[in-house]
Amino acid sequence: MNTQQKIIDTAISVFNENFSATFEEIAVNCNLNRRTLHRYFKNRNELLEACNANMMKAWEETAIKACNSSTNPLIQLENLLYAGIDSGTKYAFLIKLNEVEPAYTTEISKDYLKARSNIFSAIVTLQKEQLIDSTLPLTWIRILFTSVITATITAYRSGDIAPNEVKKLAWNSFSRSIGLVLNKQNDTFFFNDRPVQYGRTWLRERSSAYF
């Protein structure tokens, strides 16, 4: 790992614990003096911009990976939720900062936009197939999705819920909110009391409809 990336990673960790941390505190945690830190970043704001760019790059990569993890849109959604939780936990201070007012802008890659478009199209198809509540607007589902991620990050950082349980709780909450109920014994979802296979044999006859 090069020095610049080490500074960014350290700053992310420090700012998550104390967003008001000074440039000097970042330098100390990097085992560098302030003069050396200034060789890479002119000031605190430039360092924050680098942290934001790092977050967006990492998020795009993990989101694309999640969307490409399966041809099953439900598995894609689940993995995307987990990716959002992981990213949000690591970059909690930046997410809070951007929630109030977008502080930094980063160009979004075409690959990410394509993956996002595909997952949204898959959601619409799931609604048409009556596997997701069709009365929920896509915008509402997106809000539910991000809200569950935010709540999960808060729960994780509070320490009140076991880390190994928090992701499954998040997925169960989100899936139920869009009209899916999981029968844990056989990996089957129920929509309007109709069983929908979720595991490896998930709706083979419909698998080609999504992509």
Side-chain angles (χ1 to χ4, degrees), residues 106-159:
T106 304
E107 185 177 352
I108 300 174
S109 72
K110 292 181 180 179
D111 287 341
Y112 173 72
L113 290 174
K114 180 180 179 181
R116 189 175 67 175
S117 176
N118 285 343
I119 199 74
F120 290 157
S121 296
I123 290 173
V124 173
T125 304
L126 286 169
Q127 289 182 310
K128 289 179 180 178
E129 296 289 345
Q130 297 186 337
L131 302 179
I132 287 179
D133 190 345
S134 60
T135 65
L136 298 177
L138 183 58
T139 300
W140 183 251
I141 293 175
R142 290 172 62 182
I143 292 171
L144 285 173
F145 189 84
T146 54
S147 296
V148 168
I149 290 175
T150 301
T152 304
I153 294 167
T154 300
Y156 180 86
R157 292 179 64 82
S158 73

Side-chain angles (χ1 to χ4, degrees), residues 12-142:
I12 289 168
S13 178
V14 172
F15 286 141
N16 267 336
E17 298 302 323
N18 177 22
F19 183 65
S20 62
T22 64
F23 220 45
E24 288 84 355
E25 289 174 298
I26 299 297
V28 169
N29 280 273
C30 291
N31 295 317
L32 301 172
N33 57 47
R34 179 163 179 157
R35 179 177 296 180
T36 302
L37 192 58
H38 274 293
R39 292 177 187 172
Y40 296 92
F41 302 100
K42 294 178 181 179
N43 50 47
R44 186 176 182 274
N45 190 61
E46 188 174 281
L47 177 56
L48 283 169
E49 288 182 1
C51 290
N52 189 74
N54 183 272
M55 175 187 72
M56 291 307 299
K57 182 176 183 295
W59 163 243
E60 287 187 5
E61 290 175 352
T62 55
I64 291 171
K65 183 178 179 180
C67 291
N68 293 336
S69 62
S70 173
T71 57
N72 179 335
L74 290 178
I75 294 176
Q76 290 174 334
L77 270 176
E78 184 175 6
N79 289 339
L80 188 62
L81 183 74
Y82 297 159
I85 293 168
D86 288 339
S87 180
T89 301
K90 181 176 180 181
Y91 302 97
F93 78 96
L94 278 169
I95 291 176
K96 289 181 180 179
L97 187 64
N98 284 303
E99 277 180 353
V100 178
E101 181 179 352
Y104 307 102
T105 57
T106 304
E107 185 177 352
I108 300 174
S109 72
K110 292 181 180 179
D111 287 341
Y112 173 72
L113 290 174
K114 180 180 179 181
R116 189 175 67 175
S117 176
N118 285 343
I119 199 74
F120 290 157
S121 296
I123 290 173
V124 173
T125 304
L126 286 169
Q127 289 182 310
K128 289 179 180 178
E129 296 289 345
Q130 297 186 337
L131 302 179
I132 287 179
D133 190 345
S134 60
T135 65
L136 298 177
L138 183 58
T139 300
W140 183 251
I141 293 175
R142 290 172 62 182

